[in-house]
Amino acid sequence: MGSTQSPPVTLHSINPKVLKCEYAVRGEIVSHAQILYCNIGNPQSLAQQPITFFREVLALCDHPSILDKSETHALFSADAIARAWQILDSIPGRATGAYSHSQGIKGLRDAIAAGIAARDGFAASADDIFLTDGASPAVHMMMQLLIRSEKDGFLCPIPQYPLYSASIALHGGSLVPYYLDEATGWGLEISEVKKQLEDARSKGIAVRAIVVINPGNPTGQVLAEENQREIVEFCKKEGLVLLADEVYQENIYVENKKFNSFKKIARSMGYGEKDISLASFQSVSKGYHGECGKRGGYMEVTGFGADVREQIYKVASVNLCSNISGQILASLVMNTPKVGDESYESFIAEKNGIMSSLARRAKALEDAFNSLEGVTCNKAEGAMYLFPRLHLPQKAIEAAKAVNAVPDAFYAHRLLDATGIVVVPGSGFGQVPGTWHFRCTILPQEDKIPAIISRLRAFHESFMEEFHD
Amino acid sequence: MSPKPLDYESLNENVKKVAYAVRGELYLRASELQKEGKKIIFTNVGNPHALGQKPLTFPRQVVALCQAPFLLDDPNVGLLFPADAIARAKHYLSMTSGGLGAYSDSRGLPGIRKEVAAFIERRDGYPSDPELIFLTDGASKGVMQILNTIIRNEKDGILVPVPQYPLYSATISLYGGSLVPYYLEEEANWGLDFHNIRQSVAAARSKGITVRAMVIINPGNPTGQCLSEANIRELLKFCFQENLVLLADEVYQQNIYQDERPFISARKILFDMGPPISKEVQIVSFHTVSKGYWGECGQRGGYFEMTNLPPQTVDEIYKVASVSLSPNVPGQIFLGLMVNPPKPGDISYLKFVVESKAVLESLRRRAHIMTDGFNSCRNVVCNFTEGAMYSFPQICLPPKAIEDAKKAGKAPDVFYCLKLLEATGISTVPGSGFGQKEGVFHLRTTILPAEEEMPAIMASFKKFNDEFMEQYEDYRGYSRM
C-alpha cells in the first residue's frame, strides 16, 4: 500500500449519519427468514393479484407498437387500449423510454390533479405535483429541503413507520417523538404533541414539521375529522409544515371512519396557500392495487412560495425523473375505470374482492391476538398491519436481557424459529418505554390465516408456559 | 412572526447551493418557447427516445408480457409475441416472488444480479460476485448513495474531472462535501494531466481537505474521450498511492465511435495489474440502461459494482438501500435483458442485432457529422466525440460579445446559448454548467437528433454562429477547417 492509512471506504471512515440510520423492517431478523413473511407491506409477494385493467394499460404503454395491430383487440379490453392511447398522446413522441419533465409527465399530473379534486371536492394543480419512485423518495426530498442541522426537529408519531426516523438520521436532523395513545385506539392527542413541541424548543430544537401518518403505520388508526382539524390548526399556529403520509388512503376497514385528506380538511376550514404549508404523499404500493415493485408515487405540495418550489424542482431534476411506468400507474390509481367503461365491472369486482378480504383478515388476526394470554391488540381500522401489545412476564424479559436482546425482538426470534412466521419487533417502530409490541401484516393469503393463527397460538402458549412468573 | 419553515430563507443551504444546468436556465427557457409554439430541438440531455430513437423491440415485448402475465395463458399470445420473448418473460417472472408488483430484495432480484455478474465476467475475464452488485433506480441514484456514504462533512473532498457531468457537483453540494477539480486537457483530446491532478490534490490538502475519492467518467461526459489502458493504469496507481476510492462512471461503455481505444473497465485493468494493488484499490463502477444503444432513460434502471470494499461497509450501503425498499422491478428486467441479450439462434436475435447495429452505426456517423459541422464554423473548435453522446465545441467569444453578456447579467456562454436558442430553437447546455477553464467557453449538445435532420441543424447553427461572430468581432476569427 502506498501509505499506512486504512482504505478510504471503511466502517470507520464512512458518513456517520449512514451508521446512525436504522430500518428495522428489513433489519436483523430478516436474514433468518425463509417461510411466512408478515414483516412488510408487500401484498403481491403473497399472491395478491394485480388489477387487470392497470396491467393491460401498462403493457400497452410498454410496447405501443402492438396498438396498431388487429390481434391486440383479441388480447386487451377496448377501454385499456383507449386509455393507453390517451396516455401515449400526452407523452412527447409517445416515447415511454425518454426522461420526462422532472416533476413527471404533464398530462399524467393533470389526470392526478383531477383525481385529487374529485376525491376532495377542492381544486388541485398539476404544478403542485411531483411524481417520484414511490412515496419514499418524496419524503427524502422534503427532509433534505428542511434539515439544515441537528437542531432542526421533526415531530413524528410513536410508533411510526421507520422511514421517518431513518431519513431524519440520514439527513442529520432530530426526531421529536409524540406518543400515540394505545388506550384510546392509538389516538393522537394535541396536548401531547404540544407538550413535545415545547419540550424540544426548550432544548434549542427548531421544530420544522410534523409527520402524520393517516391511516397509521404500524398502528392502523384512521383519524377523526375533528382530530385532523385540530392538527391543521396547530400547524398553522405553530408555523409547522404538515407532512401528511396518506399512502393507505384506500385501506379503510371500518364503517364508521372515512379517509379525509389533510388538503381537503384544510381547505374546508377555509385555509389556503397562505395559511398552511402541506406536503401530502401518495403511493401505488398500497391500497387495493399493491404495486410495490413499480415504485410509483407522488407528493402534492401546497402553501409555499415559487422560490421554494424552484428548489424542490431543482433537487428533483438532478435525478432527471421518476420511472415512466410508475408515473403512468399513479395516474391510473387516481383515475380508475368509471361506470359504463368496459372494464368497470371486472375492475370493481377485483377491487372489492381484495378490500373485503383485507377487512376479513384484519378482523380474524385482531380477534386471534386478543384471544391470547397477555396480548392486547387494537383494531386495524386501516392500513395493512396489526400491532399487538405483549404483556411479557418478567422471566421472559430477563431471558431476553441474558442474551442481549430487546424483549420484543427476543419474542419475535422465538416465534420465527418455532413457526417460520416473520414479524417486526415493536422496537423498530418506537413505543412507550417498557411496553413491547410487534407488527404483523394482514397480507398472507386468506386461506393460510387459520394455519398462521393456530401456529401462533401454539407457540405463544408454550412461550408463556416457559416464562410464566 | 418568525419565518415559516418553507420560506426560502430557512431552507437547507446545501440545497440552495446545488446547480444542475442540464435542466436549468436554458432548458426552462426552451420549454417556455415551446409552449409559445416555437419548434425546439432539445439537445440538452442524453435522452435518445425523445429525439426519435426507437426502443429495441425484444425488451419491450418481454417487459409488456411481464406487466400482464395473464397474456401468457392466452392462446392468442403467439400472434403478437415471439416465442423467445414469451420464454424470457416467464424466466424473469420466475425470479420474482409475485411478479413486477412486489418489492424485490433491496439490492435487486438475485437472479438479475447474477446475470449482471455473468456479463461482467464475460466482458472482463474476471469473476464477479453478485453479492457486490446492487441494482438502483438509474445509475444516478447509485452515485448519490455512494457519495452520501463517503462524504462526512465539508472537509471531505472528491476529485472530479472538469468538465464533468454535473450530477457530481450537484450531489457533492447537496451532501456538503468539497469538490476538488482536475482539469482535462482540451488540446490533448481532453486527456488526463497527472501533473494537474497532483497539484489539485496538494492544493486541497493544504486547505485541510481530506481527498477521499476520484471520479472518472469513461467514456467522458460532456467530453466524450475514451481513456487508454495506460491512462487507467496510471489512475489506479495514483489512487493506490493517494488512498482514494475510484468511482468509475462507465455508463457510456457501449457508445464508442473510434477503434483505437475500445472500452476497458477500470476493474479489469486493476485485476490485470495483480497484487498488491489489485487487492487494495477500492472501486465502485456504475452502469445503466439509459445510454448505449438502448437509451431506455425512462425506465430508471442501473447498477453499481463494488470492488475491495470491506463487508461491513457493504452492509451499511445495503442498510441505506433498504430504506428505499427496492429498485423498480421493470427497470431491473431491462437491465437483465441488456446484460443478457438475445443470442445467435434465438428467434429474435437477428432483428435485435439489426436494430442495435443501426443505432450504433448511426451514432458514429452523427458523431462525425457534428464534429465536422462545428469545426466548419467561425471561431468554433471541436474535439471529436470518441464516445458517449455529446459534442462539446469550444466557442471563442469575441470580447464585445463577452461585454454584452456582462451587461445582460449573463455568463458569456449562457448569453450565447440563449441567443442560439432564440434564433434557431436549438436548446443546448452552456459549458459553465459542466465546468471549464477560466475564460474558455463551450456548449454541450447531444449527437442524438435524427441523422436526416442533422445537416439542417448544423446549417442552422452555422448560420447563427457565423452571423453572431460577424456581428461581434473584428473580422478576425479562425476555425479548424
Side-chain angles (χ1 to χ4, degrees), chain B residues 236-251:
Chain B
L236 289 165
K237 281 199 205 113
F238 180 74
C239 289
F240 181 60
Q241 283 156 3
E242 303 297 332
N243 198 29
L244 307 173
V245 53
L246 183 67
L247 305 179
D249 177 338
E250 298 176 332
V251 302

Side-chain angles (χ1 to χ4, degrees), chain A residues 13 21 55 62 100 208, chain B residues 10 23 60 67 212 319:
Chain A
S13 59
C21 152
R55 292 304 191 90
D62 270 334
S100 71
R208 310 264 278 161
Chain B
S10 54
R23 284 213 160 166
R60 291 307 190 96
Q67 289 279 17
R212 305 281 306 279
K319 181 183 75 179

Side-chain angles (χ1 to χ4, degrees), chain A residues 115-272:
Chain A
I116 292 171
R119 180 194 68 194
D120 293 348
F122 292 95
S125 165
D127 291 339
D128 294 337
I129 293 169
F130 288 76
L131 283 156
T132 48
D133 290 305
S136 302
V139 171
H140 280 289
M141 256 200 262
M142 292 309 292
M143 295 298 178
Q144 211 144 54
L145 205 69
L146 292 171
I147 297 176
R148 295 163 298 186
S149 74
E150 72 276 4
K151 288 211 180 336
D152 282 327
F154 289 72
L155 281 157
C156 289
I158 300 295
Q160 46 98 47
Y161 172 53
L163 164 68
Y164 295 96
S165 45
S167 122
I168 290 165
L170 207 53
H171 296 291
S174 285
L175 191 151
V176 178
Y178 66 88
Y179 289 86
L180 300 175
D181 186 2
E182 187 159 14
T184 60
W186 298 113
L188 191 161
E189 299 299 321
I190 281 291
S191 53
E192 158 69 6
V193 181
K194 194 168 153 60
K195 172 167 150 287
Q196 298 292 355
L197 171 70
E198 284 164 1
D199 197 53
R201 281 176 175 164
S202 71
K203 293 196 197 115
I205 305 270
V207 181
R208 310 264 278 161
I210 176 168
V211 174
V212 181
I213 311 173
N214 182 43
N217 176 4
T219 46
Q221 85 287 10
V222 178
L223 294 172
E225 255 187 74
E226 182 48 47
N227 221 182
Q228 288 184 275
R229 283 196 284 269
E230 278 183 302
I231 294 164
V232 169
E233 202 64 67
F234 182 75
C235 289
K236 179 169 161 31
K237 178 158 173 284
E238 301 291 345
L240 301 176
V241 177
L242 177 51
L243 301 175
D245 178 336
E246 299 178 331
V247 303
Y248 294 101
Q249 56 187 263
E250 308 245 30
N251 299 99
I252 312 267
Y253 312 123
V254 292
E255 297 288 312
N256 63 329
K257 292 277 185 70
K258 246 177 86 243
F259 171 74
N260 296 299
S261 75
F262 270 102
K263 174 131 170 291
K264 175 182 173 184
I265 297 289
R267 293 289 177 273
S268 65
M269 292 166 79
Y271 291 147

